[in-house]
Amino acid sequence: MTRNQRRVWLYDFVTTTQQQSSTDPKTMPYHEAWDFQKSLVEHQLSRIGKRPADPPLYDQFVPASLDFNNEKDGNSEANKKIPPFLLGCDSIIMLQHDPVYTLGTASDTSFIRGYDENDTNDNAIPIVRIERGGEVTYHGPGQLTVYPILDLRGYKQDIHWYMRALEEAILLALDKAGVKGATREDNLTGVWVSNKKIAALGIKARRWVTMHGLAINVDIRSLQNFEGIVPCGLEGRVVTCINDEIGGVPHFTVEDFAVHVKEALEEIFEVSLVSTPT
């Protein structure tokens, strides 16, 4: 199967206006994105069937006959909707979050500075425990967050390979953006520049269908609330962002950098991204 046939939905909430429930038109509340991920995973599992021997209801890749960007196909605005039976195709979500701290399934709350489970301060940054691996991290404006909902049977049924592939996509995107010296570190997940963490990863898989994913710090806003935690539980390590590493001007917006990430994901996973209707 060629890369042009391996078509994956792209839900691009970075370059489009967000839901009314957000305080910022360019960000999405965490629970809203989390619910959306879980919905897409359920569609994937329904496509796959309940037993390993069940044949999938339809292919995991988007049919070539669907092209929302081709006006000649008679795709009026009213018709530009994903058919419900194709919601279980592979998907990638790209967005910025409202400020939030997330904890993995076994994360230690001691890595949240001043944590008090009885705190009722409505102005505090929300803390959400989710089903990914890893320790506490922060999401917020200025950071690009990417959630691949992929059936690894169409790639490689190996979680270690998948994590390294996500890191490779980040490294490629950073290189495209002119960030020099980005690297992995032995026995740690994520991507680092000059001993500072610039991108974090945390995933969950059910029957080889992935959710959660990666976050890359782009502009200075993305660093503002990391002082409230020990990021990823790594004492003494600091975080950085793309604009602090490239120096000079012009600096990147999240929208600018998202273009490089899209290209990198297509190259590493050998797919073509198909933008969903807005």
Side-chain angles (χ1 to χ4, degrees):
M1 183 178 282
T2 68
R3 176 170 151 181
N4 288 337
Q5 294 172 308
R6 294 164 56 85
R7 304 170 83 234
V8 172
W9 292 126
L10 172 64
Y11 294 91
D12 180 4
F13 297 112
V14 172
T15 56
T16 58
T17 300
Q18 294 309 298
Q19 287 71 10
Q20 296 297 318
S21 56
S22 177
T23 56
D24 183 328
K26 291 189 175 182
T27 61
M28 182 182 289
Y30 190 82
H31 277 91
E32 193 170 313
W34 190 17
D35 287 343
F36 185 42
Q37 285 191 77
K38 289 186 282 188
S39 171
L40 293 178
V41 169
E42 289 304 321
H43 281 292
Q44 282 263 25
L45 296 178
S46 295
R47 174 186 63 80
I48 292 167
K50 294 182 178 180
R51 298 170 301 176
D54 289 342
L57 295 177
Y58 51 93
D59 193 75
Q60 72 187 85
F61 298 111
V62 179
S65 58
L66 278 181
D67 186 355
F68 294 116
N69 297 320
N70 189 347
E71 297 297 334
K72 293 181 181 180
D73 287 347
N75 285 318
S76 66
E77 290 301 319
N79 292 330
K80 287 185 176 181
K81 294 182 179 179
I82 297 175
F85 69 92
L86 293 180
L87 289 171
C89 293
D90 283 3
S91 305
I92 292 177
I93 306 166
M94 302 182 73
L95 52 76
Q96 296 180 78
H97 275 301
D98 290 346
V100 64
Y101 293 131
T102 66
L103 294 157
T105 52
S107 294
D108 188 340
T109 55
S110 68
F111 292 126
I112 304 174
R113 304 187 194 281
Y115 175 75
D116 180 358
E117 64 180 7
N118 298 314
D119 189 357
T120 59
N121 181 4
D122 291 337
N123 294 319
I125 295 173
I127 300 170
V128 182
R129 188 176 289 276
I130 57 177
E131 64 274 74
R132 64 162 172 80
E135 287 291 347
V136 65
T137 194
Y138 168 74
H139 298 300
Q143 180 190 79
L144 177 62
T145 302
V146 182
Y147 298 129
I149 314 296
L150 306 179
D151 180 355
L152 292 183
R153 274 166 281 232
Y155 305 87
K156 189 173 182 178
Q157 289 177 254
D158 183 327
I159 297 300
H160 179 80
W161 170 87
Y162 176 61
M163 294 290 284
R164 302 295 78 76
L166 291 178
E167 290 172 343
E168 191 63 30
I170 296 168
L171 290 167
L172 180 57
L174 290 172
D175 184 66
K176 290 174 180 285
V179 178
K180 306 303 181 185
T183 186
R184 300 182 176 96
E185 288 202 5
D186 291 341
N187 302 316
L188 295 174
T189 61
V191 172
W192 307 75
V193 179
S194 302
N195 205 36
K196 296 172 286 187
K197 195 164 192 176
I198 199 167
L201 287 81
I203 67 111
K204 165 74 175 179
R206 289 177 57 193
R207 296 174 59 199
W208 297 109
V209 175
T210 66
M211 66 182 297
H212 300 298
L214 61 93
I216 308 165
N217 302 325
V218 180
D219 68 45
I220 192 67
R221 295 173 299 157
S222 66
L223 307 182
Q224 291 174 350
N225 293 301
F226 274 104
E227 71 275 5
I229 60 173
V230 178
C232 303
L234 299 174
E235 294 279 4
R237 304 299 294 269
V238 297
V239 293
T240 189
C241 67
I242 289 171
N243 287 346
D244 277 358
E245 297 302 321
I246 58 174
V249 291
H251 281 171
F252 279 93
T253 64
V254 175
E255 293 86 346
D256 293 335
F257 185 65
V259 174
H260 296 308
V261 174
K262 292 172 191 176
E263 293 175 352
L265 289 168
E266 288 183 319
E267 291 183 38
I268 297 302
F269 288 95
E270 298 182 339
V271 298
S272 294
L273 297 179
V274 181
S275 295
T276 60
T278 56

